[in-house]
């Protein structure tokens, strides 16, 4: 791939660029199994088998950004899930750089919205060692620069639709993300989830509002109170009970 060596990114990242892969998450897994270090990245122009959360397909034509980062933080498996929120903060900063005039918010657990429409997604995969300790995390990120799905379960958009009309190059967005993610990742490594949680809540979409949470087999409705100290969504159910959600799809009553 042309041009990737000219990106201005923090030295802690080691970038591998490809034209096409199945899924960048799978490419990073292969490198991880060969002992690759924290900060190893695979970026591809296209994916033939891109994956979304909850087993969905992430359609990946050329023009958008697709990459995965190998991370080996020294945290427990439970704490590792917080990286979703760390990624979202870096994503929001990067998206805001190119679309400063729009309302950029964060949807639990890790989507970035422009004026209420999804522009990026994060797929986290992890491996534990035989002692049950985290061995590595793979953080796969897709950002809609040029294309977006019209038939998605949620309203979606792209930077091109919202922005100036000129298409952003994937490398420009990758550079912006890595430079914005790096300080949040360092802060999280040093201080834990506390300040990340506060910064995420500050930009969160729909706190205090009525939401629906789709879980396998049921849909809950209630008020989105906050996220707890571990990142679980705290929902005041319409029935009056409280429920902490660790995985699910959020829909807003009004979007
Ligand atoms: C979501 O469902 O919102 C998460 C989408 C994650 C897509 C990215 S694109 C790069 C990486 N490789 C994949 O196969 N998926 C992630």
């Amino acid at each position: 791939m042309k041009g990737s060596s000219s990106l201005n990114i923090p030295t802690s990242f080691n970038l591998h660029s490809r034209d096409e892969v199945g899924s960048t998450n799978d490419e990073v897994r292969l490198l991880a199994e060969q002992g690759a270090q924290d900060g190893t990245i695979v970026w591809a122009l296209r994916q033939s088998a891109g994956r979304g959360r909850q087993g969905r397909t992430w359609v990946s034509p050329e023009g958008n950004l697709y990459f995965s980062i190998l991370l080996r933080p020294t945290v427990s498996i439970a704490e590792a899930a917080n990286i979703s929120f760390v990624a979202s903060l870096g994503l929001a900063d990067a998206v805001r750089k190119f679309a400063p005039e729009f309302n950029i918010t964060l949807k639990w657990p890790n989507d970035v919205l422009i004026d209420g429409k999804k522009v990026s997604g994060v797929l986290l995969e992890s491996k534990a060692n035989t002692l049950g300790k985290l061995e590595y995390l793979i953080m796969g990120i897709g950002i809609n620069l040029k294309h977006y799905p019209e038939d998605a379960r949620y309203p979606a958009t792209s930077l091109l639709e919202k922005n100036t009309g000129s298409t952003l190059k994937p490398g420009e967005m990758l550079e912006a993300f890595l430079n914005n993610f790096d300080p949040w990742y360092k802060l999280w490594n040093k201080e834990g989830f506390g300040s990340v949680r506060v910064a995420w809540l500050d930009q969160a979409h729909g706190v205090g509002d009525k939401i629906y949470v789709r879980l396998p087999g049921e849909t809950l409705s209630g008020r989105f109170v906050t996220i707890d100290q571990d990142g679980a969504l705290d929902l005041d159910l319409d029935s009056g009970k409280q429920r902490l959600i660790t995985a699910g799809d959020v829909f807003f009553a009004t979007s």
Side-chain angles (χ1 to χ4, degrees), residues 6-179:
S6 59
L7 297 188
N8 182 10
I9 60 176
T11 51
S12 47
F13 296 109
N14 177 16
L15 180 61
H16 301 255
S17 308
R18 306 273 184 264
D19 285 337
E20 180 166 326
V21 298
S23 159
T24 54
N25 270 35
D26 295 342
E27 296 297 313
V28 163
R29 178 174 299 102
L30 287 175
L31 294 174
E33 292 296 329
Q34 292 162 14
Q37 290 184 345
D38 177 276
T40 299
I41 301 175
V42 174
W43 163 34
L45 296 181
R46 301 177 292 278
Q47 296 184 116
S48 56
R51 296 196 301 275
R53 290 175 59 231
Q54 320 234 350
R56 291 190 280 263
T57 297
W58 189 261
V59 179
S60 308
E62 191 155 339
N64 289 346
L65 175 60
Y66 314 104
F67 67 101
S68 303
I69 311 184
L70 172 65
L71 298 171
R72 296 183 184 274
T74 48
V75 297
S76 68
I77 288 185
E79 287 167 325
N82 296 339
I83 194 75
S84 280
F85 301 95
V86 183
S88 300
L89 291 173
L91 280 166
D93 289 346
V95 168
R96 201 170 281 118
K97 175 177 174 195
F98 298 108
E101 66 278 44
F102 296 104
N103 187 25
I104 313 296
T105 53
L106 301 175
K107 174 170 174 279
W108 186 89
N110 52 31
D111 293 345
V112 175
L113 310 179
I114 304 185
D115 287 349
K117 295 182 175 179
K118 172 165 171 159
V119 72
S120 66
V122 181
L123 176 66
L124 270 189
E125 295 176 329
S126 61
K127 182 175 177 193
N129 65 20
T130 45
L131 300 170
K133 292 244 161 62
L134 179 73
E135 195 172 318
Y136 59 77
L137 262 181
I138 300 170
M139 187 174 78
I141 296 183
I143 308 183
N144 300 337
L145 303 182
K146 191 171 178 185
H147 314 279
Y148 64 92
E150 311 244 356
D151 56 349
R153 296 146 59 93
Y154 320 97
T157 190
S158 66
L159 263 298
L160 177 64
E161 184 187 61
K162 289 311 241 178
N163 206 349
T164 56
S166 68
T167 314
L168 204 55
K169 291 201 183 82
E172 289 179 84
M173 181 54 95
L174 179 60
E175 187 176 294
F177 171 76
L178 294 174
N179 283 299

